[in-house]
Amino acid sequence: MDSILSPTIEPSNVLIKPPVDLMDDPLFEPVSIQTANTPSSKVMSDPSDDFVDLTNNITDSPDEEDTAESPVADPEEDNTEIPLDEPAEEFEDIFGSETEAPQEEVVEADVTVEETPTDKVEEASSVTVPPVDGKTGSDEEGEAIETSSDPIINLGADLPAVKTEQPPPASQAFVDPLEDLLSDVSPAAETQQPPPASVTFADPLVDIIIDDSPPAETQEPPRASKAFFDPLEDLLGAVSPATETQQPPPASQTFSDPLVDLLSAAAEAKIATPATVDLFDEEGSDFFTEARQTKPAKQQKSLFGEADEDLFGEPLGATSKKAVSTEPKDKPVKTKAASTDVSNMGGPLQDSTPAEPADLFSEEAVATVPIVKNTSAASSKTNGVHSEEDMDIFAEATVELSLDSPREERKKDVTVAPSTSAAAPLSAAASLVKPQAAALEELEEEEEEEEQEDKFEILVSVKDPEKVGDGMNAYMGYKVTTQTQMPMFRNKTFTVRRRFSDFLGLYEKLSEKHGPNGFIVPPPPEKSILGMTKVKVGKDDSSAADFVERRRAALERYLQRVVNHPSLLQDPDVREFLERDELPRATSTQALSGAGFLKMINKATDAVSKMTIKMNESDVWFEEKLQEVESSDQHFRKLHALVESLVVHRKELSLNTAGFAKSTAMLGSAEDNTALSRALSQLAEVEDKMEQLHQDQAANDTFSFAELIADYIRLLGAVRGSFDHRMKAWQRWQDAQTALQKKRETEAKLLWANKPDKLQLAKEEIAEWEAKVTQYERDFERVSATVRKEVVRFEKEKARNCKREIINYLECLLQSQQQLIKYWEAFLPEAKAIA
Amino acid sequence: MMEEVNEVTSTLSVDIQSIKVTEVVKDGATLTFLIESEKLSGTGVYHVDRTYDDFEWLQQHLFSQEEVSGIQGVIFPPLPVKAQANASAKVIKQLGILGLGEWQAYCKAMETFVRQIAAHSILGKNNAVEIFLTSSDPPGRHRVRKNIFNRLSQAMEGMRNEGHKDVDEFFQTERDHNLVFTGCAKTAAERFLDVVQTEQKIAVACGHFSTALRLCVEQGEDPDQLDFSKVCVKLSEVFESIQKNVTSVAENNVSTLGLGLDLESRYQEAEKEMLNRRTCKLVELETTRRNAEKAKPVKKAAMEEVKKAAETEFDHISGVAKEEIARLQAARVKMLQQALVQWCEKQLLTAKESADQFNQHLQAFRGMA
């Protein structure tokens, strides 16, 4: 196994070939060519592997499937930390439940990428050989039906589109979740959103079918769009009366009709869009992520464009071909063409589809081209958000479909699905980019990428704090307004009302999902019983107002931080938070009072320090960083105390100035000398103005420094949390290693005792644990890389943020100083006139 | 500040304008002031060292010039409260703005006191002033004491007579006004002191913050860390400037308006004392008048004599008092005007300098970004 592990490319090559044998050349040849030429080759090969796998699975008996799936499942188990024996269930879990973070899935994909190939290679090699003959024709069908047909049937009932995705071994698992998703109209939105994969499937489709958004968007032709379009075209073409389209993929030929469509589509989808593979196939994701990270746009082009061309281009016909060929150059044109193609499609889909597919693609395309990560992420999010509404529409769509002949239906499904899958990969890939920092070497490149991304065109403001309700049940409501140019959002500006616990709820969700992966999730301001009680009691004193304003500003900064985080922005919960009118009431936040929150942080800190003792840190960087974090935490705390006292003094000054102004006014009124009296009352006015100035300065100090520093104290807590998560990953890995060691010892004992019957079992266990160890090690490395990247990002942000704040502060300071000069200059003649 | 040079028909051998308290020396708890003044002949400079006791001696000496008619009508330049090194909180509170810093303000107040006495048309003629300014032998280390009680009892009496109806409309108004104004001036001085003290606290806080920022410098070659460290250092510099700015604002406050308000407040007190003295005399006079009326013919002549003497004395006092009040009015307006103008100019200067500095910092930060 080990030997197979190391050379990823080789296995792929090997894999590529067997499929070729099994299926007709056209499908794989282009892929193989690519492998030779470009870095993407690897990627290409991976999908092909998957395909092989798939085919293998299909060809083989169900047993085989199990084996094939198991490798996939295992890694996922590890990642998700929900060890399920049955792969299918696991998948369901992943997709069905919100709790699973999209990133996790992504991660899984990532992790599995490396592992799976090996497993697959084995399987592929072993499996493929026997089925070679059987693949073509009826044999295949029969087996395929067993494996894939079931899901397909299910899907067909629900939504055929989803089915296309199934080719990967995981497909079966997917089917169920998808079914769930589709069948549940209302909850579906939520369920779909969590995992990007599921989102992508359901949503894009939904978008296409349902979305009424203006076609104008379609006009924005990103490079990526080309790539996507092709598959879509292909798929759509397949739907259209000219069934020829279906045939192009060699795979389809091998399968019998209904299946052929589905499978071919699936195959297409897979090959064309490795992204789809991502979600389901680990290999695809691997390739994708790598490619993405480095040069997302280009890679995609080459991948999709070439692959599509080769595979589907010819059979599809002139239009599609053109589109493909022109793609690289004229993107806008292409998109249009694509959209038109889509519109040409027949059947019930026609009406709804024409504009939407364009829409979908345009969105994604836009995303991919300028800021690959962001936009794509955005698009995926949009999908997630829309999904709820869309679901209804979707249901209708399905009904319509069912009216048609089964075959037609399937075709449509297929067509729709590929498009969705195409879209999905993009978004998925985009989302993958961040989490999958697997290779440290990529770090720097990614950083550069990040820098570009930093110009996020999204601005979140929290305004109009408003007390809702009376007495102790009162709470503060805030208006959250988002301004964005991002295409992932439906509108440029939108406003929702949120209460404080909603903000906390968002954090809960985010930290649960992203924390274990080593992300630094920005923490919200703590709950303050004291402050809130003041507000509730309704005293109109300034401290309550001060509290509200501080919190409002803190919430705004918190949200802006979340939104500025490229990975978090992609989270459907974030989008939901920003866009959805009504949020389900967050309940778990109740217990999270300020003190509790601090305690939590402290606990985490303690845990970290405890674990550090156990962990012999292999990475000097982390060791140093942790110390730095600790010390800067100390510094920040000190600074915070100092600034707070400064602010207190400033406020006092303001108060005293007011007192002086008052006494000056009295002195002036008591004064007999009219000129002096006048001057004194003038002075009183000047002092009143200065009081305001001092007050502003106090606020300036507060918000530029005190609050900023408080933010960073919280953020440092989050940083430590990410270190903690890394530590946990390490611990798991170590535990696994210990377990493996034990197993090996047992094996040795058995060997010595000469008990061959048990020996076999022990060997299997060793293999299992070996896999786990590798898996955990990768997990740890991945988390480490993520943490590292996040810390670097955090530091970069910190420096930049501080600079920005200081500049603001200085501007204010300068301004108030200039105001002061004006006051003095105005008063001087008054003083001189006394004589 | 309040000197009326033109009025001076001085017998002093020193130039009043040149009188300066140049230095204060701490000797244990005692403060010794070095007083410098130029000889009128222009041929040299007197250097004398005086303790608070010497100042007090001078004041007592002036108080007790029984021979000068109408001396009770004089508004004596107020001597600041006795200051001590390591003064107790109570004393510091009494000192008010004069208790701030390293006694610079206090020296200034003492200097003003001496100058005003020297410049005073009546007081300046007293030999004690000459001695105080020129004698190398400190005059006030013995003697005195007795008169203090005099003064105190006088003050008590004054308090009792505060409500006494005045025969003279002018003095009645002046007394009423003085009562109000003393309160106002005192409050204003106190409030201003609060402002200054807070400014000083801010300066200290800025200093601490600046120092703490310097400790935040991270040791790392990472460009982001270097960046952050640079930001910290720069911000520390910014806060140093803020500290300087606030400090000099506070100093300006003390050295101009602070001293002005303090002097004003003390002068109002002095005026009040004078008015009280006069009121006492008035009460005395009224008593003698009644006594003269009631007196038996045998004593009548003697009583009339006493009454006449009292009347003359009272008239003298009132005459001097009127002059003094008029003089004070003019002087204090001028003094306050000067204080305000100087204050304004100094603050303006500081504000402009600070604005310049802040602007430089801002540019520096913009350059970094």
Side-chain angles (χ1 to χ4, degrees), chain A residues 63-80:
Chain A
D63 299 349
E64 267 292 340
E65 276 179 42
D66 287 354
T67 50
E69 282 176 4
S70 61
V72 178
D74 284 356
E76 277 176 343
E77 275 179 27
D78 300 347
N79 291 332
T80 46

PDB file of all heavy atoms in Angstrom, chain A residues 63-80:
ATOM      1  N   ASP A  63     -20.447  -6.139  -3.881  1.00  0.00           N
ATOM      2  CA  ASP A  63     -19.384  -6.317  -2.890  1.00  0.00           C
ATOM      3  C   ASP A  63     -18.240  -5.368  -3.197  1.00  0.00           C
ATOM      4  O   ASP A  63     -17.712  -4.699  -2.334  1.00  0.00           O
ATOM      5  CB  ASP A  63     -18.857  -7.760  -2.917  1.00  0.00           C
ATOM      6  CG  ASP A  63     -19.968  -8.716  -2.583  1.00  0.00           C
ATOM      7  OD1 ASP A  63     -21.043  -8.227  -2.133  1.00  0.00           O
ATOM      8  OD2 ASP A  63     -19.777  -9.905  -2.773  1.00  0.00           O
ATOM      9  N   GLU A  64     -17.912  -5.409  -4.418  1.00  0.00           N
ATOM     10  CA  GLU A  64     -16.838  -4.549  -4.853  1.00  0.00           C
ATOM     11  C   GLU A  64     -17.115  -3.099  -4.459  1.00  0.00           C
ATOM     12  O   GLU A  64     -16.255  -2.383  -3.983  1.00  0.00           O
ATOM     13  CB  GLU A  64     -16.674  -4.627  -6.372  1.00  0.00           C
ATOM     14  CG  GLU A  64     -15.673  -5.643  -6.815  1.00  0.00           C
ATOM     15  CD  GLU A  64     -14.288  -5.233  -6.427  1.00  0.00           C
ATOM     16  OE1 GLU A  64     -14.066  -4.032  -6.167  1.00  0.00           O
ATOM     17  OE2 GLU A  64     -13.422  -6.091  -6.360  1.00  0.00           O
ATOM     18  N   GLU A  65     -18.274  -2.744  -4.671  1.00  0.00           N
ATOM     19  CA  GLU A  65     -18.647  -1.377  -4.326  1.00  0.00           C
ATOM     20  C   GLU A  65     -18.257  -1.065  -2.896  1.00  0.00           C
ATOM     21  O   GLU A  65     -17.681  -0.050  -2.608  1.00  0.00           O
ATOM     22  CB  GLU A  65     -20.153  -1.194  -4.432  1.00  0.00           C
ATOM     23  CG  GLU A  65     -20.621  -0.901  -5.814  1.00  0.00           C
ATOM     24  CD  GLU A  65     -22.111  -0.768  -5.781  1.00  0.00           C
ATOM     25  OE1 GLU A  65     -22.602  -0.136  -4.842  1.00  0.00           O
ATOM     26  OE2 GLU A  65     -22.740  -1.329  -6.656  1.00  0.00           O
ATOM     27  N   ASP A  66     -18.644  -1.974  -2.097  1.00  0.00           N
ATOM     28  CA  ASP A  66     -18.366  -1.743  -0.688  1.00  0.00           C
ATOM     29  C   ASP A  66     -16.893  -1.436  -0.485  1.00  0.00           C
ATOM     30  O   ASP A  66     -16.522  -0.491   0.178  1.00  0.00           O
ATOM     31  CB  ASP A  66     -18.753  -2.956   0.141  1.00  0.00           C
ATOM     32  CG  ASP A  66     -20.257  -3.053   0.231  1.00  0.00           C
ATOM     33  OD1 ASP A  66     -20.929  -2.109  -0.251  1.00  0.00           O
ATOM     34  OD2 ASP A  66     -20.738  -4.040   0.771  1.00  0.00           O
ATOM     35  N   THR A  67     -16.120  -2.290  -1.076  1.00  0.00           N
ATOM     36  CA  THR A  67     -14.692  -2.093  -0.877  1.00  0.00           C
ATOM     37  C   THR A  67     -14.270  -0.748  -1.425  1.00  0.00           C
ATOM     38  O   THR A  67     -13.513  -0.025  -0.793  1.00  0.00           O
ATOM     39  CB  THR A  67     -13.883  -3.200  -1.582  1.00  0.00           C
ATOM     40  OG1 THR A  67     -14.348  -3.300  -2.922  1.00  0.00           O
ATOM     41  CG2 THR A  67     -14.027  -4.512  -0.866  1.00  0.00           C
ATOM     42  N   ALA A  68     -14.765  -0.475  -2.569  1.00  0.00           N
ATOM     43  CA  ALA A  68     -14.375   0.792  -3.168  1.00  0.00           C
ATOM     44  C   ALA A  68     -14.798   1.944  -2.286  1.00  0.00           C
ATOM     45  O   ALA A  68     -14.075   2.910  -2.096  1.00  0.00           O
ATOM     46  CB  ALA A  68     -15.017   0.941  -4.541  1.00  0.00           C
ATOM     47  N   GLU A  69     -15.935   1.807  -1.793  1.00  0.00           N
ATOM     48  CA  GLU A  69     -16.447   2.902  -0.984  1.00  0.00           C
ATOM     49  C   GLU A  69     -15.717   3.032   0.342  1.00  0.00           C
ATOM     50  O   GLU A  69     -15.492   4.107   0.833  1.00  0.00           O
ATOM     51  CB  GLU A  69     -17.930   2.691  -0.700  1.00  0.00           C
ATOM     52  CG  GLU A  69     -18.781   3.052  -1.862  1.00  0.00           C
ATOM     53  CD  GLU A  69     -20.210   2.727  -1.570  1.00  0.00           C
ATOM     54  OE1 GLU A  69     -20.486   2.298  -0.452  1.00  0.00           O
ATOM     55  OE2 GLU A  69     -21.020   2.898  -2.461  1.00  0.00           O
ATOM     56  N   SER A  70     -15.398   1.916   0.844  1.00  0.00           N
ATOM     57  CA  SER A  70     -14.816   1.955   2.186  1.00  0.00           C
ATOM     58  C   SER A  70     -13.618   2.891   2.293  1.00  0.00           C
ATOM     59  O   SER A  70     -13.524   3.653   3.245  1.00  0.00           O
ATOM     60  CB  SER A  70     -14.452   0.546   2.649  1.00  0.00           C
ATOM     61  OG  SER A  70     -13.503  -0.013   1.771  1.00  0.00           O
ATOM     62  N   PRO A  71     -12.723   2.827   1.362  1.00  0.00           N
ATOM     63  CA  PRO A  71     -11.586   3.750   1.505  1.00  0.00           C
ATOM     64  C   PRO A  71     -12.074   5.189   1.574  1.00  0.00           C
ATOM     65  O   PRO A  71     -11.587   5.969   2.362  1.00  0.00           O
ATOM     66  CB  PRO A  71     -10.759   3.502   0.250  1.00  0.00           C
ATOM     67  CG  PRO A  71     -11.560   2.628  -0.633  1.00  0.00           C
ATOM     68  CD  PRO A  71     -12.611   1.969   0.184  1.00  0.00           C
ATOM     69  N   VAL A  72     -12.984   5.442   0.759  1.00  0.00           N
ATOM     70  CA  VAL A  72     -13.488   6.810   0.754  1.00  0.00           C
ATOM     71  C   VAL A  72     -14.124   7.126   2.091  1.00  0.00           C
ATOM     72  O   VAL A  72     -13.920   8.178   2.666  1.00  0.00           O
ATOM     73  CB  VAL A  72     -14.534   6.996  -0.363  1.00  0.00           C
ATOM     74  CG1 VAL A  72     -15.082   8.410  -0.308  1.00  0.00           C
ATOM     75  CG2 VAL A  72     -13.900   6.678  -1.697  1.00  0.00           C
ATOM     76  N   ALA A  73     -14.872   6.185   2.485  1.00  0.00           N
ATOM     77  CA  ALA A  73     -15.626   6.426   3.715  1.00  0.00           C
ATOM     78  C   ALA A  73     -14.688   6.646   4.895  1.00  0.00           C
ATOM     79  O   ALA A  73     -14.898   7.522   5.699  1.00  0.00           O
ATOM     80  CB  ALA A  73     -16.533   5.247   4.007  1.00  0.00           C
ATOM     81  N   ASP A  74     -13.677   5.840   4.933  1.00  0.00           N
ATOM     82  CA  ASP A  74     -12.787   5.947   6.088  1.00  0.00           C
ATOM     83  C   ASP A  74     -12.236   7.351   6.264  1.00  0.00           C
ATOM     84  O   ASP A  74     -12.355   7.934   7.317  1.00  0.00           O
ATOM     85  CB  ASP A  74     -11.643   4.944   5.960  1.00  0.00           C
ATOM     86  CG  ASP A  74     -12.143   3.561   6.293  1.00  0.00           C
ATOM     87  OD1 ASP A  74     -13.335   3.453   6.678  1.00  0.00           O
ATOM     88  OD2 ASP A  74     -11.385   2.618   6.168  1.00  0.00           O
ATOM     89  N   PRO A  75     -11.640   7.828   5.252  1.00  0.00           N
ATOM     90  CA  PRO A  75     -11.095   9.174   5.409  1.00  0.00           C
ATOM     91  C   PRO A  75     -12.170  10.126   5.885  1.00  0.00           C
ATOM     92  O   PRO A  75     -11.928  10.972   6.725  1.00  0.00           O
ATOM     93  CB  PRO A  75     -10.626   9.545   4.013  1.00  0.00           C
ATOM     94  CG  PRO A  75     -10.927   8.411   3.129  1.00  0.00           C
ATOM     95  CD  PRO A  75     -11.383   7.266   3.946  1.00  0.00           C
ATOM     96  N   GLU A  76     -13.276   9.979   5.329  1.00  0.00           N
ATOM     97  CA  GLU A  76     -14.314  10.909   5.713  1.00  0.00           C
ATOM     98  C   GLU A  76     -14.652  10.759   7.166  1.00  0.00           C
ATOM     99  O   GLU A  76     -14.845  11.716   7.883  1.00  0.00           O
ATOM    100  CB  GLU A  76     -15.558  10.670   4.880  1.00  0.00           C
ATOM    101  CG  GLU A  76     -15.437  11.385   3.546  1.00  0.00           C
ATOM    102  CD  GLU A  76     -16.609  11.088   2.671  1.00  0.00           C
ATOM    103  OE1 GLU A  76     -17.304  10.116   2.962  1.00  0.00           O
ATOM    104  OE2 GLU A  76     -16.806  11.816   1.723  1.00  0.00           O
ATOM    105  N   GLU A  77     -14.691   9.550   7.521  1.00  0.00           N
ATOM    106  CA  GLU A  77     -14.976   9.308   8.931  1.00  0.00           C
ATOM    107  C   GLU A  77     -14.008  10.087   9.793  1.00  0.00           C
ATOM    108  O   GLU A  77     -14.384  10.791  10.701  1.00  0.00           O
ATOM    109  CB  GLU A  77     -14.812   7.829   9.249  1.00  0.00           C
ATOM    110  CG  GLU A  77     -16.041   7.013   8.949  1.00  0.00           C
ATOM    111  CD  GLU A  77     -15.781   5.576   9.268  1.00  0.00           C
ATOM    112  OE1 GLU A  77     -14.931   5.320  10.137  1.00  0.00           O
ATOM    113  OE2 GLU A  77     -16.405   4.730   8.654  1.00  0.00           O
ATOM    114  N   ASP A  78     -12.795   9.933   9.415  1.00  0.00           N
ATOM    115  CA  ASP A  78     -11.765  10.598  10.201  1.00  0.00           C
ATOM    116  C   ASP A  78     -12.034  12.080  10.275  1.00  0.00           C
ATOM    117  O   ASP A  78     -12.003  12.688  11.315  1.00  0.00           O
ATOM    118  CB  ASP A  78     -10.401  10.353   9.566  1.00  0.00           C
ATOM    119  CG  ASP A  78     -10.124   8.873   9.541  1.00  0.00           C
ATOM    120  OD1 ASP A  78     -10.858   8.122  10.226  1.00  0.00           O
ATOM    121  OD2 ASP A  78      -9.206   8.474   8.849  1.00  0.00           O
ATOM    122  N   ASN A  79     -12.246  12.595   9.151  1.00  0.00           N
ATOM    123  CA  ASN A  79     -12.386  14.044   9.105  1.00  0.00           C
ATOM    124  C   ASN A  79     -13.592  14.514   9.876  1.00  0.00           C
ATOM    125  O   ASN A  79     -13.541  15.437  10.646  1.00  0.00           O
ATOM    126  CB  ASN A  79     -12.525  14.505   7.662  1.00  0.00           C
ATOM    127  CG  ASN A  79     -11.226  14.300   6.936  1.00  0.00           C
ATOM    128  OD1 ASN A  79     -10.178  14.329   7.569  1.00  0.00           O
ATOM    129  ND2 ASN A  79     -11.291  14.071   5.654  1.00  0.00           N
ATOM    130  N   THR A  80     -14.642  13.861   9.553  1.00  0.00           N
ATOM    131  CA  THR A  80     -15.872  14.335  10.162  1.00  0.00           C
ATOM    132  C   THR A  80     -15.932  13.972  11.637  1.00  0.00           C
ATOM    133  O   THR A  80     -16.719  14.542  12.368  1.00  0.00           O
ATOM    134  CB  THR A  80     -17.080  13.713   9.462  1.00  0.00           C
ATOM    135  OG1 THR A  80     -16.833  12.317   9.305  1.00  0.00           O
ATOM    136  CG2 THR A  80     -17.287  14.349   8.108  1.00  0.00           C
TER     137      THR A  80
END
